[in-house]
Amino acid sequence: MRRTKTTRFVQLLTAFLLVLLACPAVSAQTQLTGYRPGATPEGAVYYLPKTALRISVLVEKTTYQPGDFSPFAQRYLRMNDVSQQPATSYRVVSIRQTPMPAVDTTKVYAVRFDARSVAARVSLTEDGRLLGLNVDDAADVEAPAPFVPAPREEWVNPRQYLSEEIISCGSTAKMAELTAHEIYDLRENHNLLIKGQADFMPQDGAQMKLMLNELSRQDKALSSLFVGRTQRDTTEHILWVDPAVGGMERTVLFRLSQLHGLVEADDLSGAPYYIMVEDISQLPAPAPEEKKKKGKADAGIYVNVPGRLRSTVFEGINTVITNEFPAPQFGHTLLLSGDLFNKRYATRLHLNALTGAVERLDADQPK
């Protein structure tokens, strides 16, 4: 039963190769019907990669909540421009572009191994991209580590530092006045400790640090009753861009809304951020391939000769970031002759996992 399945696979793969060789102009659209990329003892079906852009956008959300005594900030603490209205705002902290490999469905090939071939160990990624032949250390490109936000600062409830006299006041204005006096006393004690003039001086440096930190902690907590509380949270958004052959015109990548943060490109509530991808390749045109006779299979391996792209992100007319990366879809393919993979040579082929280009080719004659 196993031999029957193997024979059937060889027949299907041979028929597929004949169609591939007879119709090179349209095979990229139809040749994989019924096939799943992978390697078997009889041969392999594989993809070559193209470059996709992984764009990481860090967006910071700032939330402001006014303090209970914010109307009295100018009167008692001489602090101007303290808002009395809650507010939320967003801003883009950073944008990072990273090239990542993706399957190029227009570059799918089949190779059949025969008794004269030694290229029987094919290294493929999970999605079918070719990494190498007869190698043991082939590895795919690793995605960047996800963003890890800094720990949020511990919030201290300022009311735990209010004295009984302040709490028992009959008016908010009086509470604000007494709290302001308490803040000034804390700052004075802080300065006396630093100058060495306090009534109770610490015995060592560690105790001194603890006392200063506690005074600053109480000062900050009570002051928040006047200046309010501001909280900042940063989140990472991952966007994917698949540059088409020839590049991309200036296109809306995303929008930033002051109410909702990062929104979709077609959401007009946000200000637009644009992306433009340019083909900056300077490769010579590939030589025309000779037509093969029908039914004559080529045991060679196709590899990429990548071009280059330039990707630029704009905010309005201002450039935020621009990078250049290799781009296989802006280059062409090259056929490595099947003569490299026969029993006269111990051939090892390493492909660049990002571009599908030859990274190393060792073809030693076996002893």
Side-chain angles (χ1 to χ4, degrees), residues 15 25 35 48 112 126 135 142-143 151-152 179 182 188 198 208 229 233 267 278 287 291 302 334:
Y35 287 89
L48 290 180
R112 184 179 62 183
E126 292 184 359
V135 295
E142 293 187 4
R152 183 179 294 179
T179 302
E182 187 72 18
E188 182 180 1
M208 175 80 162
R229 181 188 176 197
D233 298 291
D267 189 338
E278 303 169 82
K291 293 185 178 181
Y302 280 92
L334 177 67

Side-chain angles (χ1 to χ4, degrees), residues 32-51:
L32 273 185
T33 302
Y35 287 89
R36 182 178 181 180
T40 71
E42 292 80 16
V45 178
Y46 63 92
Y47 289 111
L48 290 180
K50 62 180 177 180
T51 294

